[in-house]
Amino acid sequence: MLNIRITNRAQNTLAALFVSITIVVFGFLIMNVVYLTAISSTVDRISSENNIDSESYRQFSNSLENEKRRLSFAALVMDIKNVLEIYRPNTGGMNYMDFAYLIASESFEKGIDPYLVLAVIKTESSFRRHVVSNKGAVGFMQVLPGTAFYVSDMHDNINLENRSDLFDPQKNIRVGISYLAYLLNKYDNQKYALIAYNMGPGNLQKQIRSGGNVSEKYYRAVMTNYERILRISNRTS
């Protein structure tokens, strides 16, 4: 019994230490972003006041901006990782930091809010990797195989050979984000894009043409999860 109590106490201590380290690292990244923003603002002001327009200044300014973006992205990855640790998805051997990086980088590449992607995953699968819907949609982002192969054919970095590939977290996330980006671009309307993600663009177009009311139930569910995830991240919409 004594050994068990000591082990549990040690585990609790390690868990508390890990949380403390995560908070410190995340705080350090945020402080660096704020610091670099302040430096950049000061340099811009001095440049404006002294009418500086030299190549060296432009290089320095670009370097500061690149460092700000790098640190902001690192802070975002840490933030997504913290969200994942709450929902605890089965990522098939990927650690949460790598999975967070995947979601952040794919979202940024496609110009999508990564927190919206997290909200779609929560709504579609509750972060369950192996779930299959009664219509055959697969994995984290619940993508239909036909849709997945269509998306795969449009992107060189996505290679799908069969339906089971959609259980692979990396391929599922890449396909799902690419498809969501396609719909956002197609409709230029977040509400319709999300509804189309759920019911399919063809079915949405039929409802719009028929003049009937388009159900917003799925859209509201995604936005509810979006607000919840923002609160978890101490952000506001």
Side-chain angles (χ1 to χ4, degrees), residues 39-214:
I39 292 176
S40 180
S41 177
T42 301
V43 170
D44 287 342
R45 178 177 56 79
I46 294 173
S47 173
S48 177
E49 290 174 354
N50 293 278
N51 197 27
I52 299 173
D53 187 25
S54 65
E55 181 63 25
S56 60
Y57 164 72
R58 284 194 293 272
Q59 291 177 355
F60 178 63
S61 180
N62 289 338
S63 177
L64 280 175
E65 287 301 316
N66 289 336
E67 187 66 10
K68 280 165 50 182
R69 284 192 291 269
R70 186 183 69 81
L71 289 171
S72 294
F73 183 79
L76 174 65
V77 171
M78 288 291 293
D79 201 12
I80 293 173
K81 173 180 172 289
N82 291 337
V83 173
L84 295 175
E85 287 175 342
I86 290 175
Y87 290 115
R88 302 189 66 80
N90 172 6
T91 56
M94 291 181 70
N95 62 55
Y96 287 165
M97 184 67 79
D98 289 341
F99 196 53
Y101 179 85
L102 172 68
I103 292 172
S105 59
E106 290 293 322
S107 298
F108 266 38
E109 181 181 334
K110 298 297 188 298
I112 299 178
D113 181 351
Y115 296 101
L116 182 63
V117 172
L118 289 171
V120 169
I121 296 173
K122 172 60 179 171
T123 307
E124 289 286 343
S125 67
S126 287
F127 289 91
R128 292 175 294 166
R129 175 187 169 198
H130 291 289
V131 68
V132 179
S133 75
N134 57 5
K135 293 183 179 180
V138 178
F140 284 124
M141 298 195 71
Q142 287 291 276
V143 185
L144 289 168
T147 300
F149 287 118
Y150 173 75
V151 172
S152 174
D153 289 341
M154 294 190 298
H155 296 84
D156 294 336
N157 68 329
I158 303 174
N159 182 26
L160 295 180
E161 295 183 359
N162 50 58
R163 171 181 172 275
S164 64
D165 283 346
L166 290 172
F167 292 112
D168 181 308
Q170 294 190 49
K171 293 182 179 181
N172 190 282
I173 293 299
R174 286 195 176 106
V175 168
I177 290 177
S178 296
Y179 183 48
L180 182 58
Y182 162 78
L183 293 173
L184 287 166
N185 182 65
K186 175 182 176 69
Y187 291 100
D188 195 25
N189 180 304
Q190 180 172 282
K191 181 187 292 186
Y192 276 2
L194 289 170
I195 293 172
Y197 188 94
N198 175 245
M199 69 166 53
N203 291 329
L204 175 59
Q205 290 302 117
K206 287 179 183 177
Q207 287 201 10
I208 293 173
R209 283 197 298 266
S210 69
N213 292 327
V214 176

Side-chain angles (χ1 to χ4, degrees), residues 119 123 219-229 231:
T123 307
Y219 170 75
R220 289 195 296 269
V222 172
M223 297 315 295
T224 296
N225 284 321
Y226 180 71
E227 295 291 341
R228 183 178 295 121
I229 287 169
R231 287 196 297 272

